[in-house]
Amino acid sequence: MTALDGPLTRSRGAGKALRRLLAVALAVWFALPLLPLLLWSFADRWSFPSVLPTAFGLRSLDQAVAFGALPALGRSLVLSVVVAVAATLIGALAARALTFGAVPGARLVSVLLLAPIALPPFAAVLGVNVVLLRAHVPPVVGVALVLTVMALPYTAFVMRTAYGAYDRSYEEEARLLGAGRLQVLRRVQLPMIAPALARAAFLAFLVAWSDYIVTLIVGGGEVVTLPLVVASAAAGLGNDAAVALMSLSAVAPPVLLLVGVLAFGRRRPRSSKEVSA
């Protein structure tokens, strides 16, 4: 037994085991509410007092398709990706300008970026909808614009935190070595802020994916996303299995995206030599 195999090594091992145990407990905690949805999704018959469904089948799939779940799922995905890209790009540019640039009225700009969080969503959307209607903005464009504005506080906050820890000396070193602006952006800046960009895009995706009020009011019935279809089906009677299946389909993309973001965020940080190479 060496000097390194003492209490310090044992405490580190215990800490690692405790972190794994907490991670498993959190995973179970979040996954447990989905179990009834999973059972309902494939339950053709589930009556009291049976603890489990008495008959399983795929009738819920036919009902979900009849409700228009597949087209709504596609619209939700496209809308969420568009909002995530736009809000992340604008939030990153605003955060970099506020962090490094001499922006006139920086505090006022920061307040404006955070304003969508403070405003009551229903009242704000009603007012914006009147402006969009008078400007003859197409409903799908109006929904994307409003959701992008609503996602900006999250993307700007994440990116400003990232730029607050950003070392610009890497960019200066790359320019001294002859790199142009695009090379600095592609080889230095983007690799260093990529995890923050992924987190910001994930938050913006969630804002658009889970939205109901903006799509309902601004969309005016022309933009039918998955949350609208789920709410419509839940308002009916005898559609429990279809509602459960559509709810699971609404949960799956954000969960998969979260797993990807976490895996991407845990990648090995690049050293200064790798960045400037």
Side-chain angles (χ1 to χ4, degrees):
M1 180 175 178
T2 64
L4 296 177
D5 296 329
L8 181 59
T9 303
R10 290 196 296 270
S11 63
R12 288 180 178 176
K16 187 176 182 179
L18 180 60
R19 287 194 297 271
R20 289 182 177 178
L21 181 61
L22 289 175
V24 172
L26 285 175
V28 172
W29 177 263
F30 284 109
L32 195 59
L34 300 179
L35 182 58
L37 282 180
L38 183 61
L39 292 175
W40 264 120
S41 298
F42 303 100
D44 282 352
R45 186 169 62 255
W46 192 356
S47 56
F48 182 84
S50 300
V51 178
L52 296 175
T54 55
F56 290 92
L58 297 178
R59 186 173 59 185
S60 59
L61 182 60
D62 296 331
Q63 293 175 344
V65 172
F67 273 113
L70 289 180
L73 177 62
R75 294 188 198 99
S76 292
L77 285 173
V78 173
L79 179 64
S80 300
V81 170
V82 169
V83 171
V85 172
T88 303
L89 178 60
I90 298 173
L93 293 175
R96 184 177 175 89
L98 290 171
T99 304
F100 301 128
V103 179
R107 291 187 178 180
L108 178 60
V109 174
S110 299
V111 171
L112 290 176
L113 285 174
L114 296 176
I117 297 180
L119 296 176
F122 190 80
V125 170
L126 284 177
V128 171
N129 189 40
V130 174
V131 176
L132 293 175
L133 288 174
R134 292 183 177 180
H136 302 287
V137 177
V140 63
V141 177
V143 172
L145 287 175
V146 176
L147 289 178
T148 299
V149 173
M150 293 182 63
L152 274 179
Y154 306 98
T155 59
F157 176 78
V158 172
M159 295 311 302
R160 192 159 188 187
T161 302
Y163 278 119
Y166 183 78
D167 190 354
R168 298 186 70 185
S169 63
Y170 291 144
E171 294 185 12
E172 298 172 359
E173 182 181 351
R175 291 193 183 96
L176 290 175
L177 293 174
R181 289 186 176 180
L182 290 179
Q183 288 178 313
V184 171
L185 176 64
R186 183 172 60 89
R187 301 293 298 275
V188 179
Q189 185 180 165
L190 288 180
M192 294 180 68
I193 65 171
L197 286 173
R199 293 192 295 269
F202 172 71
L203 292 177
F205 182 92
L206 283 185
V207 170
W209 180 262
S210 59
D211 173 74
Y212 179 83
I213 294 178
V214 173
T215 309
L216 180 65
I217 297 177
V218 179
E222 296 186 24
V223 183
V224 181
T225 57
L226 191 58
L228 296 184
V229 174
V230 173
S232 176
L237 297 176
N239 300 317
D240 294 336
V243 172
L245 183 61
M246 290 187 289
S247 299
L248 278 181
S249 65
V251 171
V255 170
L256 294 176
L257 188 59
L258 177 60
V259 172
V261 169
L262 292 177
F264 183 74
R266 293 184 61 183
R267 69 176 188 171
R268 183 177 63 88
R270 304 181 70 182
S271 65
S272 59
K273 292 183 179 180
E274 292 174 329
V275 170
S276 60

